[in-house]
Amino acid sequence: MNSIYIVMAIMFAGARRWSRGREPRFRTELGRISYYFSKDEAEKAIKANATLKSEESKSVYRYFLREVPAGEALYDGEYKREWVYDATGKLLDHTLCSTCHCDIHTEHYIFGGREPEQIRFSAGDIVEWYDGYGSVWLGVVVGTPYTVGRCREMYETLRRSPRFAGLSDDKITFPLDFSDDSYLIVNTENYMESHVHVSSHYVSAPTFPVPQNLLKRLASCFKNCADE
């Protein structure tokens, strides 16, 4: 199946600092969108734009490179793979499985875990995450994505369950998908109120310095969650 590669430039919008208030964030907006017939072409375009000295290129927060299948009816936001780059064109992270409905019954839809070196943050780390709707939020990591080893353990437990007794491996459906490739993050003391599951590639180190009072509050949020 042929693919189309879409490059989306996400731009800073408004003040380039953390907002005041209970849930610090900064705003972004969608910039230019361009389309390519290969990933190589798309990456070259990202790197070329990243080297420009224009005001537009200086306003880039992230580049998202999205692979979508040609000739398929897709729901909003679906993709086979997605890669995220910083404003300099450096690759930060990428997805490991498809979100497309056309892939649901294929191996491309299954999340089989991340290698330890692919998990960039640990519990207690202060991070920011892009919500896909124009805001970047500040928070603290409470949980990390499953590792490959952990997913294997889960699969073996599944195989031994009475539900799948007598079935061959190809008949056993592993229940993890793209939604499980995520970090668990909080940004207030109330876990139930503020916890979010964020796609791994949407999480990164804070763009702007974090004021000391915010660092203390987020550390307190993490401690509260750890104690619960």
Side-chain angles (χ1 to χ4, degrees):
M1 181 185 295
N2 293 328
S3 292
I4 296 170
Y5 295 84
I6 306 170
V7 174
M8 297 169 288
I10 306 300
M11 321 295 287
F12 289 108
R16 299 191 188 185
R17 58 172 174 76
W18 296 110
S19 66
R20 296 183 177 87
R22 192 159 178 256
E23 298 180 89
R25 65 173 177 168
F26 61 85
R27 298 287 299 171
T28 64
E29 61 187 7
L30 180 61
R32 293 191 184 189
I33 303 176
S34 48
Y35 300 82
Y36 303 90
F37 291 112
S38 74
K39 180 172 179 281
D40 185 57
E41 285 181 323
E43 285 188 316
K44 286 179 179 177
I46 289 173
K47 293 184 184 302
N49 195 69
T51 61
L52 297 177
K53 303 300 181 182
S54 66
E55 287 303 312
E56 180 179 354
S57 65
K58 292 177 183 177
S59 297
V60 172
Y61 166 62
R62 294 283 187 268
Y63 295 100
F64 283 88
L65 169 52
R66 181 173 290 180
E67 177 188 358
V68 298
E72 289 287 345
L74 301 176
Y75 291 96
D76 183 42
E78 288 187 340
Y79 50 77
K80 293 185 74 68
R81 294 285 296 276
E82 190 168 62
W83 298 262
V84 58
Y85 305 78
D86 68 12
T88 70
K90 176 185 175 182
L91 177 65
L92 297 179
D93 204 349
H94 60 84
T95 60
L96 300 181
C97 49
S98 172
T99 70
C100 297
H101 273 70
C102 59
D103 284 330
I104 284 181
H105 299 295
T106 72
E107 62 181 12
H108 304 298
Y109 202 76
I110 297 172
F111 175 59
R114 284 185 170 247
E115 296 292 349
E117 62 271 19
Q118 293 178 310
I119 300 175
R120 297 175 297 137
F121 302 102
S122 303
D125 286 348
I126 307 299
V127 296
E128 69 183 32
W129 78 92
Y130 175 61
D131 66 6
Y133 300 100
S135 289
V136 178
W137 304 83
L138 190 66
V140 59
V141 173
V142 176
T144 58
Y146 294 126
T147 63
V148 172
R150 176 59 180 143
C151 285
R152 285 175 182 156
E153 291 174 0
M154 295 167 70
Y155 180 72
E156 288 303 316
T157 300
L158 197 66
R159 286 181 66 236
R160 293 192 296 268
S161 70
R163 176 184 173 190
F164 296 107
L167 292 181
S168 59
D169 287 355
D170 62 324
K171 299 295 184 182
I172 299 175
T173 302
F174 195 49
L176 301 185
D177 59 24
F178 65 90
S179 64
D180 296 291
D181 184 11
S182 61
Y183 287 91
L184 178 59
I185 301 174
V186 298
N187 62 359
T188 75
E189 288 77 5
N190 188 322
Y191 172 83
M192 293 305 298
E193 177 185 89
S194 74
H195 79 281
V196 288
H197 295 267
V198 183
S199 295
S200 295
H201 68 306
Y202 277 11
V203 180
S204 55
T207 297
F208 306 119
V210 181
Q212 194 63 34
N213 65 312
L214 282 181
L215 289 174
K216 289 181 179 179
R217 186 165 68 77
L218 290 171
S220 176
C221 293
F222 177 71
K223 185 178 183 302
N224 288 346
C225 291
D227 290 342
E228 288 184 0

